[in-house]
Amino acid sequence: MGKTAQIVINLEPNLEEFVRDEVKRGSFASDSEYIENILRERYEDDRMRQERELADALTVGHEDIKAGRFMPLDEAFAKLRAELGRTNCALNENRDF
């Protein structure tokens, strides 16, 4: 484990008892270790969810390209400008990406 920071939390009595019981069962050395483990699991689950969402979006985009559902970038910007009703905005600038 790398560098750590200390955070103080307040728990309702029933949650405090639950955490202490989990530690007493012997799976964790301390209250802090138990709570850190739960947070790490939640963090990792969230990261995996975000990765799945990104992979799904990339798959949809790739399938759209294969099916011909795309347009050149200058056309897309022109469409955006028209939809926004703007003629003088940052989308008008010719930029090399």
Side-chain angles (χ1 to χ4, degrees):
M1 176 173 30
K3 189 175 179 180
T4 63
Q6 183 177 9
I7 296 176
V8 176
I9 62 168
N10 297 308
L11 298 175
E12 296 173 0
N14 59 329
L15 293 176
E16 178 190 13
E17 182 180 356
F18 177 77
V19 170
R20 294 198 190 282
D21 287 346
E22 289 296 307
V23 173
K24 284 179 190 173
R25 284 185 28 216
S27 298
F28 301 93
S30 68
D31 301 346
S32 293
E33 184 180 311
Y34 176 73
I35 292 170
E36 184 177 5
N37 186 67
I38 290 173
L39 290 172
R40 186 178 299 109
E41 287 176 2
R42 177 79 184 259
Y43 173 78
E44 290 171 359
D45 288 348
D46 190 56
R47 295 232 4 195
M48 287 174 40
R49 179 191 54 78
Q50 290 174 355
E51 288 176 11
R52 280 192 309 272
E53 287 174 359
L54 177 59
D56 292 346
L58 290 171
T59 298
V60 168
H62 189 254
E63 290 171 357
D64 283 346
I65 290 169
K66 288 191 325 189
R69 293 184 298 263
F70 67 93
M71 67 178 67
L73 189 58
D74 57 342
E75 233 179 273
F77 280 138
K79 183 177 179 179
L80 282 172
R81 282 192 298 276
E83 287 176 6
L84 294 172
R86 296 184 178 166
T87 56
N88 190 12
C89 67
L91 292 176
N92 281 337
E93 297 177 16
N94 268 336
R95 296 183 185 212
D96 294 327
F97 291 100

